[in-house]
Amino acid sequence: MESFGVMSLIQGAKFRTPVRPGSVLDLQVTMEAMDDASARVHARAHAAGREVASARIVYAIVPIADIIGARYIEFWRDIVRSWAAGLDAVPVGIAR
């Protein structure tokens, strides 16, 4: 079954330093736990070599059909395939 992660909780968000327009952010996301119903990641953002923000983010794993409706599944697949075809590195869970 195709499923999608829906952000459901942000824990311990810390914003340490303001980031200005034009700054380059490097994002580091580490998967901490995952099961059939949810996933938890720890995310950090760095700018100019300094950590500027961090948080734990929890996602609910829900079937795609529950989000977009069963009649639009093929349309959604076509959009994802088109989008992924233009990427150098395909995100986890998206097949070309």
Side-chain angles (χ1 to χ4, degrees):
M1 173 189 338
E2 292 170 306
S3 56
F4 196 76
V6 177
M7 190 182 307
S8 59
L9 179 66
I10 298 174
Q11 299 174 313
K14 295 180 184 173
F15 300 93
R16 292 172 177 80
T17 304
V19 178
R20 307 272 185 239
S23 296
V24 175
L25 287 178
D26 294 311
L27 302 177
Q28 176 188 20
V29 180
T30 304
M31 177 73 69
E32 293 184 332
M34 184 171 180
D35 58 30
D36 291 341
S38 65
R40 185 179 69 238
V41 302
H42 186 240
R44 293 184 174 145
H46 293 81
R50 295 181 57 198
E51 185 172 287
V52 295
S54 65
R56 280 201 166 71
I57 305 169
V58 178
Y59 295 88
I61 308 297
V62 296
I64 292 294
D66 289 358
I67 298 172
I68 63 172
R71 66 188 274 192
Y72 297 108
I73 292 288
E74 280 306 314
F75 178 66
W76 177 83
R77 286 181 185 142
D78 289 343
I79 290 171
V80 171
R81 274 193 287 272
S82 295
W83 172 76
L87 298 177
D88 292 334
V90 177
V92 172
I94 303 215
R96 285 191 185 212

